[in-house]
Amino acid sequence: MAFKNRENFGRIGAVLAAAGSAVGLGNIWRFPIETGRNGGAAFVLVYIVCVIVLGLPVMISEFMIGRSTQSNTAAAYRKLSPGTQWKWVGRLGVLTGFLIFSYYSVVAGWTVEYAGYALTNVFARESDYKQMFSDFASNPFWPVLWLFVFMFITHVIIVRGVKSGIEKVSKILMPTLFLLIMMLVFCAITLPGSGPGIDFIVRPDFSKINGMVVLSAMGQAFFSLSIGMGCLCTYASYFRPDTNLTRSAVNVASIDTMIAIMSGFIIFPAAASAGYMLTADDVGPSLIFITLPHVFQQAFSGAPILAYVFSVMFYLLLILAALTSTISMHEVITAYLKEEFEMSRKKAARIVTCSCAFLGIFCALSFGVLSGFKLMDMTIFDWFDFVSSTILLPFGGMLISIFTGWYLNKRLMYDELTNYGTVRVRYFKVLVFILRFVAPVAIGFIFFNELGFFDVFS
Ligand code: PFF
């Protein structure tokens, strides 16, 4: 039974909202880093295979679970498996969302500060970008303020509800984001000397593919597609009965992959044109907050106005991408509190925002006053990132595929996929096979790899 007074996304709204969740800092920041680290075009090819073979089946699973139950992620598993422990998969998703929202918003907040730098042309005046970043990140005030601002904007959208909040904003932000990224790609690939950067992502060197590259591609695919914490399950609970789940999943995965590859087409050509080869030191926040401001100034050194416009557009792009993702994380927890504890959307959202803002403060300060506060050489921010993205997301993804592959009633799955016989589905057996055997084993590999069990591959 569905919860009362539930809203629904329209057909396009459903795809844009889910794509908004998927497209985020993971695409524009993490994907190019992983591509750079793992040998360029060969990694991109492996990544695409991972999205198709593993990402899509798990995404379709989350869609089926959400739409069939019309519930928040915790209630969804409970309804599909009454009296069993599977309910913990949903609850785990809510916990993961809670942790990710808290630390992801810190980086999202930094993008606001950097958009401000770009707007006021600070990059043209500064030269020591490393110092500038460390001064800002370690400041006890500004990162916390921007964290609050970002969470507050997310909060306002969530309070407005599914249709006039999430859907409406996604319909404005996603096309804007697309336009911005197209303009940035055009500028980057037409820069003089951008050739080697383009080659890097279009000419695969298959000798670069090894076990480590495959595992990194799988891990990146899961993070980027927002799989494993009930985000897509929650959004699918707002899908209409006639939404074609497979087509929506293919659309979301294609948009997400396209945006990730396009980010590569911005960063590598711009870096090549600036005579800059990205190295392992450019990983982490330093890529977008230290290396890129430098790259943009160098690449457009002959036309400072272009450097200005390019930087403004790039940081605006980051803000939009991060915002559509934080909205989805917030919604997972808000829907859970609202429905499980029967409170208003407003009150649920307030609890989520306040508690995550509280946790976020510690994450933000861990680059400054709390930087000495370490456990096993990791700061508070590192712990949030590690526990949620490295452990809980793949673990959640593995449980979801086992749940749908082995436990969930196949008739119910078939009915959901075919919209009760109105859509043709020819791949059902393949899907079940992947969910039963391929996905759990492969995700198990990502999981243990990320915990450092397979260092032999490197
Ligand atoms: N997919 C988002 C990104 O690429 O930045 C991050 C994310 C959002 C992960 C929502 C998990 C999630 F549930």
Side-chain angles (χ1 to χ4, degrees), residues 135-203:
D135 287 348
F136 161 67
S138 60
N139 185 292
F141 178 73
W142 291 105
V144 177
L145 178 78
W146 292 130
L147 161 76
F148 285 175
V149 168
F150 213 91
M151 284 192 167
F152 181 72
I153 298 171
T154 309
H155 175 90
V156 171
I157 296 164
I158 289 294
V159 167
R160 297 194 62 141
V162 171
K163 256 201 128 28
S164 40
I166 303 174
E167 178 167 355
K168 203 165 165 191
V169 168
S170 305
K171 279 183 168 166
I172 301 169
L173 295 191
M174 289 309 286
T176 316
L177 187 145
F178 204 70
L179 203 72
L180 273 177
I181 202 160
M182 295 232 292
M183 292 197 287
L184 285 163
V185 170
F186 177 78
C187 290
I189 59 176
T190 50
L191 279 169
S194 59
I198 299 175
D199 276 357
F200 185 67
I201 25 176
V202 297
R203 289 239 172 99

Side-chain angles (χ1 to χ4, degrees), residues 19-268:
S21 168
V23 174
L25 298 172
N27 301 60
I28 299 163
W29 161 49
R30 203 166 180 259
F31 180 82
I33 292 171
E34 292 289 322
T35 306
R37 253 199 211 154
N38 291 294
F43 173 83
V44 177
L45 283 181
V46 177
Y47 177 81
I48 293 174
V49 173
C50 290
V51 167
I52 297 171
V53 177
L54 295 172
L56 268 177
V58 180
M59 185 185 285
I60 292 173
S61 300
E62 288 210 30
F63 279 177
M64 285 188 299
I65 294 167
R67 214 249 319 251
S68 66
T69 53
Q70 304 270 297
S71 311
N72 68 81
T73 182
Y77 288 87
R78 201 180 57 234
K79 285 178 178 179
L80 290 173
S81 57
T84 68
Q85 297 305 319
W86 284 110
K87 58 178 181 262
W88 287 101
V89 179
R91 292 180 184 168
L92 194 71
V94 177
L95 172 73
T96 313
F98 203 76
L99 298 177
I100 297 195
F101 182 46
S102 302
Y103 87 85
Y104 192 95
S105 301
V106 173
V107 183
W110 292 350
T111 63
V112 181
E113 171 87 5
Y114 269 65
Y117 289 164
L119 268 172
T120 50
N121 212 10
V122 169
F123 298 135
R125 295 191 296 274
E126 283 286 336
S127 55
D128 192 346
Y129 299 107
K130 199 169 181 176
Q131 190 61 39
M132 190 171 104
F133 176 69
S134 84
D135 287 348
F136 161 67
S138 60
N139 185 292
F141 178 73
W142 291 105
V144 177
L145 178 78
W146 292 130
L147 161 76
F148 285 175
V149 168
F150 213 91
M151 284 192 167
F152 181 72
I153 298 171
T154 309
H155 175 90
V156 171
I157 296 164
I158 289 294
V159 167
R160 297 194 62 141
V162 171
K163 256 201 128 28
S164 40
I166 303 174
E167 178 167 355
K168 203 165 165 191
V169 168
S170 305
K171 279 183 168 166
I172 301 169
L173 295 191
M174 289 309 286
T176 316
L177 187 145
F178 204 70
L179 203 72
L180 273 177
I181 202 160
M182 295 232 292
M183 292 197 287
L184 285 163
V185 170
F186 177 78
C187 290
I189 59 176
T190 50
L191 279 169
S194 59
I198 299 175
D199 276 357
F200 185 67
I201 25 176
V202 297
R203 289 239 172 99
D205 172 358
F206 291 105
S207 67
K208 294 256 168 70
I209 298 182
N210 57 27
M212 207 60 201
V213 171
V214 178
L215 292 175
S216 306
M218 284 198 275
Q220 171 63 17
F222 273 77
F223 183 82
S224 187
L225 295 172
S226 302
I227 293 170
M229 57 159 268
C231 225
L232 298 177
C233 168
T234 306
Y235 271 11
S237 72
Y238 306 123
F239 285 4
R240 291 192 324 212
D242 62 346
T243 300
N244 183 331
L245 296 187
T246 315
R247 194 183 301 150
S248 306
V250 170
N251 286 338
V252 172
S254 313
I255 296 174
D256 187 64
T257 307
M258 214 154 64
I259 302 266
I261 294 176
M262 285 167 94
S263 307
F265 272 98
I266 299 174
I267 288 167
F268 295 110

